[in-house]
């Protein structure tokens, strides 16, 4: 897919701006293009610019121009969101697809539309007013991140042996201690190692420095000793496969699932990203403040980091036990006993 040949001029300018000026990755820009293509296919269909029987995913957007873009209002977008939540195929290429996109997916598409119109007003100066300025994002169900406990993390690390043990132990150690993303890990080069520091290229091509604790440094040292005799075809890559080429995301995903199963943990519940959740949770539980954690994880916005500030189950259990009604059962049929204090009636008699 190449938006430079498939998108109309006004969309191409917006996408090029994000790729060249904002520094967004090719994958991100391609997703923007797909979001806008779906949106304008719907707009053309709703405004009667294509036959009603036209196959949705074959509607061309080559003729999308400023006049059509200017004609869009909030009512059109709300109608579009209703279409996404009820009628849009989750997997258009699959005959067994379900319908209705998740709120998180719809929220991303809303963000793309808002960004596009903001660009037209503030950067391209093609619109005087932003018709979607008051557009709200779909409300999303908040879920707590899933993570390994400290004991489970140790259990996982202790179980690593056999083929590629040094490499796999090093990778999992970095996930659990540094909280890096899988995309960041597979992109690491030997030159990114700088003593007790690791240079990481994160989202939006933003570099950050991650400091390595003793466990990480030891794991890296052990892996480098093995890697030195591997005959790597990629002389730059920090992590390589048995075929001596740079390790891929799919290879890391497979390895993590294999190692979780071998450790007696449920590989259906956990993944490389869940190990990142684990690192973040363990840091918070051991005194790291949320703003420092934001820097460690490479989050652009603090509210992304705050999903990790959940209350741990031990605190919830303590709170439940602290309620005095917790001592009143059907069998007791009485008031909870007051420990180490006299009742109010006895106090009044003295």
């Amino acid at each position: 897919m190449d938006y430079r040949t498939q998108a109309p001029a006004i969309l191409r300018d917006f996408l090029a701006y994000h790729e060249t000026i904002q520094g967004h990755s090719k994958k991100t820009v391609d997703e923007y293009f797909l979001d806008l293509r779906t949106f304008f296919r719907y707009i053309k269909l709703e405004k009667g610019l294509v036959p009603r029987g036209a196959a949705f995913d074959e509607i061309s957007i080559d003729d999308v121009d400023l006049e059509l873009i200017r004609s869009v209002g909030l009512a059109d977008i709300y109608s579009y969101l209703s279409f996404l939540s009820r009628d849009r195929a989750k997997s258009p290429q699959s005959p067994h697809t379900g319908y209705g996109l998740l709120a998180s997916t719809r929220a991303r598409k809303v963000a793309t539309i808002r960004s596009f119109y903001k660009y037209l007003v503030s950067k391209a100066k093609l619109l005087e007013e932003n018709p979607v300025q008051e557009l709200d994002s779909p409300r999303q169900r908040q879920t707590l991140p899933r993570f390994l406990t400290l004991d489970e993390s140790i259990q996982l690390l202790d179980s690593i042996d056999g083929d590629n043990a040094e490499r796999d132990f090093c990778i999992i150690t970095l996930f659990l201690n540094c909280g890096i993303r899988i995309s960041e890990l597979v992109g690491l080069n030997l030159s990114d190692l700088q003593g007790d520091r690791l240079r990481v290229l994160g989202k939006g091509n933003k570099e950050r420095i991650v400091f390595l604790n003793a466990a990480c440094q030891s794991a890296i040292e052990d892996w480098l000793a093995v890697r030195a005799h591997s005959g790597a075809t990629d002389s730059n890559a920090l992590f390589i496969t048995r075929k001596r080429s740079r390790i891929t995301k799919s290879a890391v995903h497979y390895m993590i699932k294999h190692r979780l199963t071998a450790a007696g943990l449920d590989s259906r519940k956990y993944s490389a990203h869940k190990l990142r959740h684990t690192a973040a949770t363990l840091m918070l539980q051991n005194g790291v403040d949320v703003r420092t954690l934001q820097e460690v994880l490479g989050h652009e916005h603090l509210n992304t980091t705050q999903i990790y500030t959940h209350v741990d189950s031990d605190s919830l259990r303590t709170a439940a036990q602290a309620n005095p009604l917790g001592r009143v059962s059907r069998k007791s049929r009485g008031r909870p006993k007051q420990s180490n204090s006299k009742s109010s009636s006895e106090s009044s008699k003295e």
Side-chain angles (χ1 to χ4, degrees):
M1 178 197 312
D2 192 339
Y3 72 83
R4 294 172 298 178
T5 58
Q6 297 185 33
I10 197 165
L11 266 66
R12 277 202 310 271
D13 294 343
F14 164 73
L15 297 169
Y17 166 76
H18 275 277
E19 186 168 15
T20 60
I21 305 301
Q22 293 295 319
H24 290 163
S25 68
K26 181 181 181 297
K27 179 182 177 182
T28 298
V29 174
D30 286 345
E31 288 176 348
Y32 283 170
F33 170 56
L34 293 177
D35 288 344
L36 290 172
R37 186 177 68 178
T38 301
F39 174 61
F40 283 112
R41 279 173 171 171
Y42 178 82
I43 293 299
K44 288 184 65 175
L45 189 63
E46 284 301 293
K47 291 184 179 294
L49 301 178
V50 294
R52 276 288 172 182
F56 184 87
D57 291 309
E58 295 179 8
I59 296 174
S60 171
I61 63 166
D62 290 344
D63 56 347
V64 169
D65 56 15
L66 187 60
E67 181 180 358
L68 177 62
I69 291 169
R70 188 183 283 120
S71 72
V72 173
L74 278 179
D76 295 312
I77 299 178
Y78 291 143
S79 176
Y80 171 63
L81 292 177
S82 177
F83 160 74
L84 293 179
S85 65
R86 290 173 175 265
D87 306 314
R88 180 60 174 161
K90 294 179 179 179
S91 303
Q93 307 303 322
S94 171
H96 307 294
T97 184
Y99 291 86
L101 303 184
L102 296 175
S104 57
T105 305
R106 286 181 275 126
R108 192 200 72 209
K109 293 182 182 298
V110 164
T112 300
I113 295 169
R114 288 161 65 177
S115 179
F116 177 59
Y117 275 93
K118 182 179 179 180
Y119 163 82
L120 294 177
V121 173
S122 61
K123 298 298 180 182
K125 309 294 184 185
L126 294 175
L127 294 178
E128 293 183 1
E129 295 184 0
N130 187 344
V132 301
Q133 187 170 353
E134 302 301 323
L135 178 62
D136 294 324
S137 183
R139 188 181 297 274
Q140 300 182 55
R141 182 170 63 92
Q142 296 296 319
T143 57
L144 295 178
R146 183 173 288 166
F147 59 93
L148 297 174
T149 65
L150 176 59
D151 287 342
E152 288 171 334
S153 300
I154 295 172
Q155 178 182 334
L156 173 60
L157 290 168
D158 284 346
S159 70
I160 299 174
D161 59 9
D163 294 341
N164 301 306
E166 291 84 2
R167 184 201 65 184
D168 295 355
F169 185 89
C170 186
I171 288 174
I172 292 175
T173 295
L174 289 178
F175 278 139
L176 290 173
N177 284 272
C178 304
I180 61 178
R181 301 177 177 94
I182 189 170
S183 59
E184 296 168 345
L185 180 128
V186 300
L188 289 174
N189 292 319
L190 292 172
S191 58
D192 293 323
L193 291 171
Q194 303 168 351
D196 67 342
R197 301 188 302 170
L198 183 66
R199 184 177 59 189
V200 174
L201 185 62
K203 285 188 175 181
N205 292 320
K206 294 179 181 177
E207 286 189 2
R208 71 181 188 280
I209 296 296
V210 174
F211 286 87
L212 302 171
N213 58 26
C216 291
Q217 293 181 62
S218 175
I220 289 173
E221 182 179 346
D222 290 344
W223 161 237
L224 290 180
V226 173
R227 188 194 180 285
H229 303 288
S230 65
T233 56
D234 189 330
S235 60
N236 296 317
L238 175 58
F239 294 109
I240 58 175
T241 65
R242 284 183 293 181
K243 296 181 179 180
R244 300 178 297 175
S245 58
R246 181 183 293 272
I247 200 166
T248 63
K249 290 182 185 178
S250 59
V252 174
H253 280 303
Y254 177 83
M255 181 274 287
I256 295 295
K257 294 293 185 183
H258 170 72
R259 294 298 186 182
L260 284 165
T261 300
L265 300 169
D266 191 345
S267 62
R268 296 169 300 177
K269 292 171 54 179
Y270 302 109
S271 62
H273 197 65
K274 298 303 184 290
L275 301 188
R276 174 172 159 88
H277 288 333
T278 299
T281 302
L282 291 176
M283 286 184 214
L284 275 175
Q285 289 177 344
N286 287 274
V288 176
D289 67 87
V290 70
R291 289 198 176 274
T292 300
L293 184 61
Q294 178 188 3
E295 295 294 324
V296 172
L297 297 178
H299 286 157
E300 184 175 359
H301 302 292
L302 184 62
N303 60 357
T304 307
T305 314
Q306 287 175 332
I307 66 168
Y308 297 105
T309 57
H310 50 77
V311 181
D312 64 78
S313 57
D314 286 341
S315 298
L316 293 174
R317 186 176 293 107
T318 300
Q321 296 297 330
N323 191 321
L325 291 177
R327 297 189 292 275
V328 178
S329 66
R330 180 175 175 80
K331 291 182 178 179
S332 68
R333 298 281 186 165
R335 296 170 59 85
K337 297 179 181 179
Q338 298 187 21
S339 59
N340 301 325
S341 63
K342 297 178 180 179
S343 67
S344 58
S345 59
E346 288 176 335
S347 299
S348 63
K349 292 179 180 178
E350 292 182 349

